[in-house]
Amino acid sequence: MKLQSIMLPGISVQRPFIIAGPCSAETEEQVITTARGLSSKGVKVFRAGIWKPRTKPGGFEGVGIAGLPWLQRVKRETGMYVGTEVANKNHVFEAVKHGIDILWLGARTSVNPFAVQEIAEALKVSGFDGPVLVKNPVNPDLELWIGAIERIYNEGIRRIGVIHRGFSTYDKKLYRNLPSWHVPIELKRRIPEIPLICDPSHIGGKRELVAPLCQQAMDLNYDGLIIESHCSPDDAWSDKEQQITPDILSYILNMLVVRETKQTTENLMQLRQQIDEIDAELLSILSKRMRISREIGQYKKEHNMPVLQTVRYDEILADRIAQAEKMDIGSHFMKIILEAIHEESIRQQIEVLNK
Ligand code: PEP
Ligand code: MN
């Protein structure tokens, strides 16, 4: 695949590329307040669901076309880019007509080849030239995910990225949607040029999982994050348990450790060099300790004393293990090390004795 960048002018090329905003656009005020909060924290791309695929009828299915002018207002007043989910061709035409910058296909859409094909053709007909993001299908079917990407690509769309939102399961234990990280990692191996964005909100389904999932995505070299953020999460009309305020979002982003690939190998080399030096020191200290053991062996020989003195050994064990605990070294590990050193020490003393 020959893909083009999904980056937008004015956005830092440094990882992570951030998209944030409410699960759903609810009211004009909620949209504007959330967008202002996010913009003040430096977020440049705003998300809001306009058409919401809800699991059961009767749930909030989005405000529909009425919400598109609110997103236009966000663009006008904050200068942010705006993005929303499209699930059929009418959504594409309306979104394009209202100047939406980024479009994505939801998990319930990318699972359906007919819907993806219809959207791909609508994207082409409408001349949309912004980034198109393809969420993973609800089931962990990598070929289906790649198939959806290819359908978009085959209609001439070149600015394509993917969103990993996890996979639906019957049992909801820790996660709302199982991350199954190996699936997006394999996708990236098959299409290395495709930008990979993590959606920690839908994977975790809970506020407290957003931060660790963001960090995990960064550690796995993801390019971006799409995070649900709401000015008043407890009052959200959809996905309230997983939405976080712009303040919390900003805190989480500031705490993220983003390790750059190149730097990591350089740092790793330096760290490995330090390990080599410390191991050399350890060896020389051990050999010094053994030399002293042999001197003790010599003394014991001359004074006709037994090599093993259990009281002294018990004292050493108790004292060193207590010291180790203060230094954050596990007592079990310390005991094994001391036993090994002691064994070697006894062996060397017996050698001296038998000379
Ligand atoms: C969403 O992004 O709000 C959404 C409905 O996500 P998904 O398609 O991952 O369920
Ligand atoms: Mn949501």
Side-chain angles (χ1 to χ4, degrees):
M1 274 187 190
K2 288 228 176 323
L3 296 175
Q4 288 164 8
S5 170
I6 61 162
M7 294 312 285
L8 297 153
I11 294 184
S12 156
V13 291
Q14 298 242 317
R15 288 194 310 139
F17 174 56
I18 301 292
I19 303 173
C23 176
S24 310
E26 299 162 3
T27 64
E28 184 163 3
E29 201 196 338
Q30 167 254 5
V31 166
I32 297 296
T33 309
T34 307
R36 285 201 183 123
L38 289 167
S39 177
S40 76
K41 301 290 177 190
V43 175
K44 300 273 193 293
V45 188
F46 184 76
R47 65 149 283 162
I50 294 289
W51 300 280
K52 300 303 298 179
R54 292 295 92 184
T55 304
K56 292 197 176 132
F60 171 58
E61 297 195 319
V63 293
I65 298 171
L68 291 170
W70 308 342
L71 296 187
Q72 290 179 308
R73 191 174 153 203
V74 168
K75 279 180 78 158
R76 243 187 357 258
E77 292 185 11
T78 68
M80 291 167 107
Y81 293 100
V82 294
T84 199
E85 174 180 332
V86 287
N88 63 37
K89 60 176 188 282
N90 294 334
H91 296 166
V92 175
F93 294 135
E94 288 301 333
V96 174
K97 201 162 85 190
H98 288 83
I100 305 301
D101 305 289
I102 297 186
L103 299 177
W104 72 86
L105 283 72
R108 293 163 196 75
T109 305
S110 52
V111 78
N112 178 351
F114 290 126
V116 176
Q117 191 59 39
E118 173 185 309
I119 291 168
E121 287 166 18
L123 287 167
K124 181 181 185 176
V125 171
S126 64
F128 182 71
D129 63 357
V132 176
L133 308 175
V134 183
K135 280 198 165 192
N136 66 255
V138 279
N139 54 328
D141 185 338
L142 179 59
E143 300 311 321
L144 192 58
W145 196 1
I146 293 179
I149 297 162
E150 285 176 354
R151 284 179 195 279
I152 308 280
Y153 184 83
N154 289 347
E155 294 306 319
I157 309 298
R158 291 294 174 267
R159 301 178 71 189
I160 306 176
V162 292
I163 300 174
H164 170 217
R165 55 73 86 183
F167 304 93
S168 305
T169 51
Y170 178 70
D171 282 321
K172 304 261 180 271
K173 289 201 176 108
L174 176 59
Y175 300 109
R176 177 178 176 188
N177 295 312
L178 261 192
S180 305
W181 298 97
H182 55 284
V183 180
I185 288 170
E186 175 59 14
L187 174 91
K188 188 77 183 168
R189 198 187 64 79
R190 298 261 296 268
I191 316 175
E193 60 277 30
I194 206 150
L196 186 51
I197 295 172
C198 180
D199 176 345
S201 311
H202 290 93
I203 292 177
K206 307 177 187 67
R207 282 168 209 163
E208 58 272 28
L209 287 180
V210 173
L213 285 166
C214 286
Q215 186 59 56
Q216 194 159 350
M218 286 302 97
D219 292 342
L220 290 171
N221 216 15
Y222 278 52
D223 301 282
L225 300 166
I226 179 165
I227 305 171
E228 285 190 343
S229 176
H230 190 291
C231 55
S232 177
D234 287 335
D235 302 318
W237 297 2
S238 61
D239 288 354
K240 67 161 111 180
E241 295 82 7
Q242 68 196 37
Q243 301 205 60
I244 53 178
T245 60
D247 279 351
I248 300 282
L249 176 89
S250 162
Y251 178 76
I252 290 175
L253 295 180
N254 284 330
M255 295 296 283
L256 270 188
V257 179
V258 183
R259 301 173 174 96
E260 284 316 322
T261 336
K262 277 194 217 101
Q263 221 181 331
T264 312
T265 32
E266 265 168 43
N267 284 347
L268 197 60
M269 263 170 57
Q270 280 179 11
L271 292 171
R272 284 186 172 151
Q273 202 178 330
Q274 286 184 41
I275 290 281
D276 289 348
E277 284 164 16
I278 288 172
D279 280 356
E281 252 175 73
L282 265 177
L283 279 168
S284 96
I285 286 177
L286 275 175
S287 116
K288 209 159 143 186
R289 195 186 193 281
M290 291 307 156
R291 226 169 33 240
I292 294 175
S293 277
R294 293 174 81 92
E295 278 177 36
I296 292 178
Q298 188 62 32
Y299 183 91
K300 285 177 182 165
K301 184 181 175 182
E302 284 160 14
H303 295 82
N304 210 18
M305 289 164 76
V307 164
L308 184 62
Q309 310 225 316
T310 47
V311 179
R312 165 75 178 147
Y313 180 53
D314 286 347
E315 274 170 19
I316 289 185
L317 267 185
D319 175 74
R320 310 300 190 259
I321 288 173
Q323 275 189 53
E325 271 168 1
K326 282 189 209 134
M327 297 161 96
D328 238 3
I329 299 175
S331 53
H332 177 67
F333 165 77
M334 200 59 230
K335 191 159 177 273
I336 292 173
I337 295 280
L338 287 169
E339 275 166 2
I341 292 176
H342 189 240
E343 201 182 308
E344 175 62 9
S345 179
I346 300 267
R347 192 188 66 77
Q348 300 224 11
Q349 291 190 21
I350 289 174
E351 220 174 72
V352 172
L353 210 67
N354 294 336
K355 251 191 201 156

